[in-house]
Amino acid sequence: MRIDAVEFIGSFYKIDQIPQDDLPELPVFGRSNVGKSSVINCLTSRKIALVSKTPGKTQSLNYYKINERFYLVDVPGFGYAKVKQNLRESWKRVIEEWLTHSRKIQAVIQIVDSRHEAQTADLQLAEWLHHHRLSFIVIANKIDQIKKHELTAAIRKFEKTFGTDVYPFSAKTESGKKDLLQWLYSIVYTNHQYSSN
Ligand SMILES: Nc1nc2c(ncn2[C@@H]2O[C@H](COP(=O)(O)OP(=O)(O)OP(=O)(O)O)[C@@H](O)[C@H]2O)c(=O)[nH]1
Ligand SMILES: [Mg+2]
């Protein structure tokens, strides 16, 4: 798949603000600082999502319309201790409401840091996605930071832990970009028929 058109639609803080059309949504989830915004920039070949060394940069649901056909949604990172407890709780509610009620979520992209073992927060999200029967893949990002001979074992371990496909990736070197675009193509263009099409 080629990404030709990318349009930033907006940053939303409440579910009733998000686009009301029929286009499928693909949310990008993961702990703070794993590289969610960087992966979106890599896929779209644009510096469109804000990236920061400091965790907690993305604070709202950011909608990017891709090829006039679907939305990639940059989601605030979870598991970031410095975000105030009450803010974390209210976000959790917003996101649960969205994931539970939206019929437009086609699949979820969960990003993890390939350098570290899966953390409790990663596992909780995966469990929750399985529970709600949302299909998802795991992107093991930052593979430019791990040794080649450690990669295969790390990916296998993630696959076993998460119970889904795991794609090695580097937003920095763009390694894995072609495979991820191929997956997006299969999800958006071939798996699902929309009545509006
Ligand atoms: N080496 C390396 N660094 C990366 C990669 N992807 C992201 N980073 C760096 O990781 C940091 C966090 O990246 P972001 O894309 O802002 O992470 P995020 O998950 O969107 O973070 P929040 O919005 O705070 O939840 C930045 O300093 C990025 O430059 C990668 O593949 N390799
Ligand atoms: Mg971000």
Side-chain angles (χ1 to χ4, degrees), residues 151-176:
L151 182 60
T152 312
I155 297 298
R156 247 185 238 136
K157 195 165 181 189
F158 281 134
E159 274 171 346
K160 219 171 155 192
T161 306
F162 287 105
T164 189
D165 291 338
V166 178
Y167 287 64
F169 199 88
S170 166
K172 189 174 176 184
T173 66
E174 303 202 334
S175 174

Side-chain angles (χ1 to χ4, degrees), residues 47 146 153 157:
K47 287 185 179 158
I146 64 170
K157 195 165 181 189

Side-chain angles (χ1 to χ4, degrees), residues 97-109:
E97 185 192 337
W98 178 44
L99 287 179
T100 316
H101 296 296
S102 174
R103 293 209 196 88
K104 298 186 293 179
I105 293 176
Q106 187 108 47
V108 170
I109 298 170

